[in-house]
Amino acid sequence: MLRLAIFDCDGTLVDSQHHIGAAMERAFTEEGLPPPPRAEVRRIVGLSIGEAVRQLLPEATPARHAALADRYRAAFFALRAAGTMGAEPLYPGIAELLAALAGDGWRLGVATGKSDRGLAHILAHHAIAPLFATLQTADRHPSKPHPAMLEAALAEAGVMARDAVMIGDTSFDMAMAVNAGVRAIGVGWGYHPADELIAAGASVVAEDAAELRALLA
């Protein structure tokens, strides 16, 4: 039987909150706006950038949202290119977990609000790109919690929804899984608290990579 484990990226595979916060602060500043508190930015990690800025500045016009999204993208890659922030680190045990799941016969995927370029950079930096059978990003799909990313992942991997699991750290991930008819597992090391993950549809919340491995055994 084919099984597919689909992972969120930011807050699940890698800890990127500082990178995202710094880029968002620069984007707002360059638009002449006061930057949102880091706690608010942390809340929207996982959404596509267009939806994220809409939630951070709901009273703004669509044109201002588009400008902020463009500023954010430029700021993120400028900060990375300047070397002012290192690569987003993998959470403890993630590399070993992915290798173990692949060895157990799981197909692996990613469904993320990142761009294709941003995701490719992370997977290449950590030398884990070959482990994944399907990669779904905000470049080709509506923002979470729309189920399009998971539907595409299932189709590309050739796996039925009942044989797949979505693993993520935000309520957006859990709601996306529910919308796609896929089992949702939350992780407790990311950006939304466990009670919110359960309320959004998580069947369980793993507190570390070892517990997640046991849940998938």
Side-chain angles (χ1 to χ4, degrees):
M1 178 185 71
L2 293 177
R3 299 179 296 171
L4 176 64
I6 307 161
F7 289 82
D8 169 56
C9 184
D10 298 314
T12 302
L13 295 178
V14 298
D15 187 3
S16 52
Q17 61 177 307
H18 302 298
H19 300 67
I20 292 169
M24 195 67 77
E25 286 172 1
R26 177 179 286 195
F28 271 70
T29 299
E30 290 179 350
E31 278 295 299
L33 296 165
R38 284 288 179 100
E40 291 185 16
V41 175
R42 180 184 170 100
R43 292 287 308 161
I44 55 79
V45 173
L47 295 173
S48 301
I49 184 57
E51 180 59 27
V53 296
R54 279 190 288 274
Q55 292 204 14
L56 288 170
L57 200 67
E59 71 277 11
T61 65
R64 173 54 67 87
H65 290 149
L68 275 169
D70 288 342
R71 293 274 195 187
Y72 172 84
R73 294 184 188 99
F76 194 98
F77 288 105
L79 289 167
R80 174 176 283 163
T84 55
M85 56 185 188
E88 299 95 319
L90 290 173
Y91 284 102
I94 288 297
E96 296 81 1
L97 169 68
L98 296 174
L101 291 176
D104 289 343
W106 282 87
R107 291 191 175 183
L108 304 178
V110 177
T112 176
K114 281 191 174 300
S115 66
D116 286 332
R117 181 169 63 163
L119 177 60
H121 176 87
I122 286 174
L123 299 185
H125 176 82
H126 293 293
I128 56 176
L131 294 173
F132 294 97
T134 180
L135 302 173
Q136 306 301 326
T137 75
D139 284 348
R140 287 166 281 117
H141 299 290
S143 180
K144 299 172 184 179
H146 193 285
M149 279 194 264
L150 294 188
E151 291 168 348
L154 293 169
E156 187 170 354
V159 176
M160 301 294 290
R162 65 175 178 267
D163 299 320
V165 60
M166 174 66 205
I167 300 157
D169 70 299
T170 70
S171 57
F172 316 128
D173 298 313
M174 304 299 97
M176 178 175 65
V178 170
N179 291 339
V182 170
R183 182 188 179 199
I185 294 180
V187 301
W189 55 80
Y191 305 147
H192 287 188
D195 60 337
E196 291 188 15
L197 302 182
I198 295 294
S203 59
V204 66
V205 177
E207 291 304 320
D208 56 34
E211 184 178 355
L212 180 55
R213 171 80 191 282
L215 289 170
L216 296 174

PDB file of all heavy atoms in Angstrom, residues 24-25 28 34-41 56:
ATOM      1  N   MET A  24       9.389  40.903   6.754  1.00  0.00           N
ATOM      2  CA  MET A  24       8.116  41.613   6.850  1.00  0.00           C
ATOM      3  C   MET A  24       8.321  43.020   7.411  1.00  0.00           C
ATOM      4  O   MET A  24       7.693  43.983   6.938  1.00  0.00           O
ATOM      5  CB  MET A  24       7.140  40.823   7.713  1.00  0.00           C
ATOM      6  CG  MET A  24       5.694  41.266   7.589  1.00  0.00           C
ATOM      7  SD  MET A  24       5.000  40.926   5.937  1.00  0.00           S
ATOM      8  CE  MET A  24       4.707  39.150   6.067  1.00  0.00           C
ATOM      9  N   GLU A  25       9.190  43.154   8.396  1.00  0.00           N
ATOM     10  CA  GLU A  25       9.480  44.478   8.941  1.00  0.00           C
ATOM     11  C   GLU A  25      10.057  45.401   7.868  1.00  0.00           C
ATOM     12  O   GLU A  25       9.673  46.569   7.762  1.00  0.00           O
ATOM     13  CB  GLU A  25      10.442  44.349  10.116  1.00  0.00           C
ATOM     14  CG  GLU A  25       9.787  43.791  11.370  1.00  0.00           C
ATOM     15  CD  GLU A  25      10.778  43.487  12.474  1.00  0.00           C
ATOM     16  OE1 GLU A  25      11.993  43.729  12.271  1.00  0.00           O
ATOM     17  OE2 GLU A  25      10.340  43.004  13.537  1.00  0.00           O
ATOM     18  N   PHE A  28       7.193  46.455   5.333  1.00  0.00           N
ATOM     19  CA  PHE A  28       6.302  47.488   5.860  1.00  0.00           C
ATOM     20  C   PHE A  28       7.021  48.831   5.959  1.00  0.00           C
ATOM     21  O   PHE A  28       6.456  49.876   5.611  1.00  0.00           O
ATOM     22  CB  PHE A  28       5.750  47.069   7.228  1.00  0.00           C
ATOM     23  CG  PHE A  28       4.487  46.271   7.161  1.00  0.00           C
ATOM     24  CD1 PHE A  28       4.480  44.964   6.683  1.00  0.00           C
ATOM     25  CD2 PHE A  28       3.283  46.811   7.578  1.00  0.00           C
ATOM     26  CE1 PHE A  28       3.312  44.214   6.616  1.00  0.00           C
ATOM     27  CE2 PHE A  28       2.101  46.085   7.520  1.00  0.00           C
ATOM     28  CZ  PHE A  28       2.113  44.784   7.032  1.00  0.00           C
ATOM     29  N   PRO A  34       4.099  51.315   9.777  1.00  0.00           N
ATOM     30  CA  PRO A  34       4.703  50.744  10.983  1.00  0.00           C
ATOM     31  C   PRO A  34       4.684  49.214  10.892  1.00  0.00           C
ATOM     32  O   PRO A  34       3.641  48.615  10.579  1.00  0.00           O
ATOM     33  CB  PRO A  34       3.800  51.239  12.113  1.00  0.00           C
ATOM     34  CG  PRO A  34       2.495  51.564  11.454  1.00  0.00           C
ATOM     35  CD  PRO A  34       2.823  52.021  10.068  1.00  0.00           C
ATOM     36  N   PRO A  35       5.802  48.573  11.153  1.00  0.00           N
ATOM     37  CA  PRO A  35       5.836  47.108  11.070  1.00  0.00           C
ATOM     38  C   PRO A  35       4.917  46.470  12.101  1.00  0.00           C
ATOM     39  O   PRO A  35       4.786  46.967  13.220  1.00  0.00           O
ATOM     40  CB  PRO A  35       7.298  46.766  11.356  1.00  0.00           C
ATOM     41  CG  PRO A  35       8.048  48.022  11.081  1.00  0.00           C
ATOM     42  CD  PRO A  35       7.121  49.130  11.451  1.00  0.00           C
ATOM     43  N   PRO A  36       4.277  45.376  11.758  1.00  0.00           N
ATOM     44  CA  PRO A  36       3.440  44.667  12.739  1.00  0.00           C
ATOM     45  C   PRO A  36       4.306  43.997  13.790  1.00  0.00           C
ATOM     46  O   PRO A  36       5.472  43.668  13.534  1.00  0.00           O
ATOM     47  CB  PRO A  36       2.706  43.629  11.881  1.00  0.00           C
ATOM     48  CG  PRO A  36       3.601  43.402  10.714  1.00  0.00           C
ATOM     49  CD  PRO A  36       4.288  44.713  10.449  1.00  0.00           C
ATOM     50  N   PRO A  37       3.781  43.796  14.978  1.00  0.00           N
ATOM     51  CA  PRO A  37       4.540  43.076  16.010  1.00  0.00           C
ATOM     52  C   PRO A  37       4.922  41.673  15.535  1.00  0.00           C
ATOM     53  O   PRO A  37       4.191  41.036  14.778  1.00  0.00           O
ATOM     54  CB  PRO A  37       3.563  43.003  17.188  1.00  0.00           C
ATOM     55  CG  PRO A  37       2.578  44.098  16.948  1.00  0.00           C
ATOM     56  CD  PRO A  37       2.451  44.224  15.463  1.00  0.00           C
ATOM     57  N   ARG A  38       6.074  41.214  16.005  1.00  0.00           N
ATOM     58  CA  ARG A  38       6.533  39.879  15.596  1.00  0.00           C
ATOM     59  C   ARG A  38       5.518  38.800  15.962  1.00  0.00           C
ATOM     60  O   ARG A  38       5.378  37.800  15.244  1.00  0.00           O
ATOM     61  CB  ARG A  38       7.880  39.563  16.246  1.00  0.00           C
ATOM     62  CG  ARG A  38       9.080  40.265  15.609  1.00  0.00           C
ATOM     63  CD  ARG A  38       9.427  39.684  14.257  1.00  0.00           C
ATOM     64  NE  ARG A  38      10.556  40.348  13.634  1.00  0.00           N
ATOM     65  CZ  ARG A  38      11.801  39.878  13.636  1.00  0.00           C
ATOM     66  NH1 ARG A  38      12.085  38.734  14.247  1.00  0.00           N
ATOM     67  NH2 ARG A  38      12.772  40.535  13.026  1.00  0.00           N
ATOM     68  N   ALA A  39       4.799  38.976  17.058  1.00  0.00           N
ATOM     69  CA  ALA A  39       3.805  37.975  17.458  1.00  0.00           C
ATOM     70  C   ALA A  39       2.703  37.864  16.408  1.00  0.00           C
ATOM     71  O   ALA A  39       2.193  36.763  16.149  1.00  0.00           O
ATOM     72  CB  ALA A  39       3.211  38.335  18.809  1.00  0.00           C
ATOM     73  N   GLU A  40       2.319  38.986  15.806  1.00  0.00           N
ATOM     74  CA  GLU A  40       1.299  38.954  14.756  1.00  0.00           C
ATOM     75  C   GLU A  40       1.843  38.300  13.488  1.00  0.00           C
ATOM     76  O   GLU A  40       1.126  37.567  12.804  1.00  0.00           O
ATOM     77  CB  GLU A  40       0.800  40.370  14.462  1.00  0.00           C
ATOM     78  CG  GLU A  40      -0.010  40.984  15.589  1.00  0.00           C
ATOM     79  CD  GLU A  40      -0.588  42.330  15.219  1.00  0.00           C
ATOM     80  OE1 GLU A  40      -0.626  42.663  14.013  1.00  0.00           O
ATOM     81  OE2 GLU A  40      -0.991  43.069  16.132  1.00  0.00           O
ATOM     82  N   VAL A  41       3.097  38.578  13.177  1.00  0.00           N
ATOM     83  CA  VAL A  41       3.709  37.951  12.000  1.00  0.00           C
ATOM     84  C   VAL A  41       3.788  36.444  12.190  1.00  0.00           C
ATOM     85  O   VAL A  41       3.500  35.667  11.274  1.00  0.00           O
ATOM     86  CB  VAL A  41       5.102  38.548  11.733  1.00  0.00           C
ATOM     87  CG1 VAL A  41       5.798  37.805  10.587  1.00  0.00           C
ATOM     88  CG2 VAL A  41       4.996  40.035  11.410  1.00  0.00           C
ATOM     89  N   LEU A  56      -2.559  40.896   7.944  1.00  0.00           N
ATOM     90  CA  LEU A  56      -1.813  41.834   8.767  1.00  0.00           C
ATOM     91  C   LEU A  56      -2.305  43.270   8.611  1.00  0.00           C
ATOM     92  O   LEU A  56      -2.186  44.072   9.543  1.00  0.00           O
ATOM     93  CB  LEU A  56      -0.319  41.769   8.414  1.00  0.00           C
ATOM     94  CG  LEU A  56       0.425  40.514   8.860  1.00  0.00           C
ATOM     95  CD1 LEU A  56       1.816  40.480   8.244  1.00  0.00           C
ATOM     96  CD2 LEU A  56       0.511  40.434  10.381  1.00  0.00           C
TER      97      LEU A  56
END
